Amino acid sequence: MAQLDTPETTFKRVMLKISGEALMGPQGYGLHPPTVERIAREVQTVHDMGVEICMVIGGGNIFRGLQGSAQGMERTTADYMGMLATVMNALAMQAALEQLKIHTRTISAIPMDQVCEPYIRRRAVRHLEKKRVCIFAAGTGNPYFTTDTAATLRANEMACQAIFKGTKVDGVYDKDPMKHDDAVRYDTVSYDDCLGKNLKVMDATAIALARDNNLPIIVFSLDEPGGFKGILAGQGTYTRVQG
């Protein structure tokens, strides 16, 4: 079992990246409110530790640009549709967090002033300093970039100390553990190995951006109750991607 060598008190600001599929629960599509609420409670436990939290949520539960492109839709249009899906997910998570009395801001890379704030870095930093959760939506605002890349970009801009990638498995494996019983989990793995072995932690652009800025990526299971808080406390099972 890996142990973080950094005490929980040194993690002052982190990025939590989750997929849109994480919000759809057992129904296989869209938003599953009990699942959204469960994840919000996981975020609450870390917020209560005094950690400043950024979030990026994918849009694959509603629309994925690459799938639309594969079905004949023009790629740029498909990607913009995917960005709008991330805004819907961000608003759902914001509502769930505010039900828990956590002040939250949805910040979009595509201006839509009626529903969320535009992305202004200094303003976002100020929200974090005031212990508000900031959910960054609409990716980078550009097609051809994934929400993995957006999460890494925003994590660097916000001076986060790590990206926490919540998945359905408890770390990075040498092959898909859902399909292969002999899959081996890494305690730690380098950025270059992730790229060279195509380990599917994040897309290559995100991994390279994290590597170039020495930003660790911690991959853990979001389905494990208390997992997010536990990993920050140095407990649980996870993989740390680092130089």
Side-chain angles (χ1 to χ4, degrees):
M1 182 183 297
Q3 290 290 321
L4 283 175
D5 55 8
T6 311
E8 65 176 76
T9 52
T10 66
F11 279 96
K12 301 298 185 185
R13 183 178 297 168
V14 300
M15 167 65 72
L16 174 62
K17 167 61 173 69
I18 61 178
S19 67
E21 287 87 349
L23 304 185
M24 66 188 184
Q27 63 192 19
Y29 64 90
L31 288 159
H32 184 243
T35 299
V36 177
E37 180 183 351
R38 178 183 64 79
I39 294 173
R41 290 191 181 280
E42 292 286 318
V43 174
Q44 180 187 37
T45 63
V46 173
H47 183 267
D48 289 348
M49 294 166 67
V51 178
E52 297 169 5
I53 303 169
C54 306
M55 292 183 70
V56 168
I57 307 171
N61 57 319
I62 299 171
F63 188 87
R64 187 182 294 280
L66 275 174
Q67 290 176 352
S69 179
Q71 294 170 9
M73 186 177 293
E74 193 268 326
R75 173 67 188 272
T76 301
T77 299
D79 278 357
Y80 278 121
M81 292 173 68
M83 290 180 217
L84 295 178
T86 71
V87 177
M88 296 172 67
N89 285 339
L91 292 173
M93 183 58 65
Q94 175 181 265
L97 288 167
E98 291 188 337
Q99 284 288 322
L100 300 173
K101 310 301 183 187
I102 297 173
H103 295 295
T104 307
R105 295 291 185 272
T106 294
I107 301 170
S108 173
I110 300 174
M112 45 186 84
D113 296 345
Q114 287 84 352
V115 294
C116 51
E117 292 186 8
Y119 176 67
I120 300 171
R121 189 188 68 84
R122 290 172 63 89
R123 182 187 292 177
V125 169
R126 187 67 180 132
H127 287 321
L128 291 169
E129 290 171 349
K130 292 182 176 181
K131 305 302 181 184
R132 297 166 182 161
V133 173
C134 288
I135 308 176
F136 296 101
T140 67
N142 302 288
Y144 296 95
F145 290 94
T146 67
T147 50
D148 282 345
T149 300
T152 310
L153 174 65
R154 297 295 184 235
N156 280 304
E157 289 180 301
M158 295 298 109
C160 292
Q161 292 163 306
I163 299 174
F164 284 76
K165 175 77 182 285
T167 68
K168 294 183 178 180
V169 294
D170 58 357
V172 179
Y173 286 77
D174 62 347
K175 48 190 163 184
D176 190 344
M178 301 290 191
K179 299 177 181 177
H180 303 278
D181 292 337
D182 61 343
V184 177
R185 185 182 60 81
Y186 297 95
D187 279 351
T188 61
V189 62
S190 71
Y191 303 113
D192 289 338
D193 278 347
C194 286
L195 293 171
K197 297 178 181 178
N198 196 25
L199 293 178
K200 305 294 186 185
V201 179
M202 288 180 159
D203 69 78
T205 304
I207 294 291
L209 185 58
R211 179 193 61 193
D212 292 348
N213 292 278
N214 198 29
L215 180 67
I217 303 167
I218 296 165
V219 183
F220 70 104
S221 172
L222 198 64
D223 293 336
E224 183 70 28
F228 187 24
K229 179 182 179 180
I231 303 251
L232 276 163
Q235 303 166 357
T237 304
Y238 56 87
T239 297
R240 182 174 182 135
V241 182
Q242 59 190 13

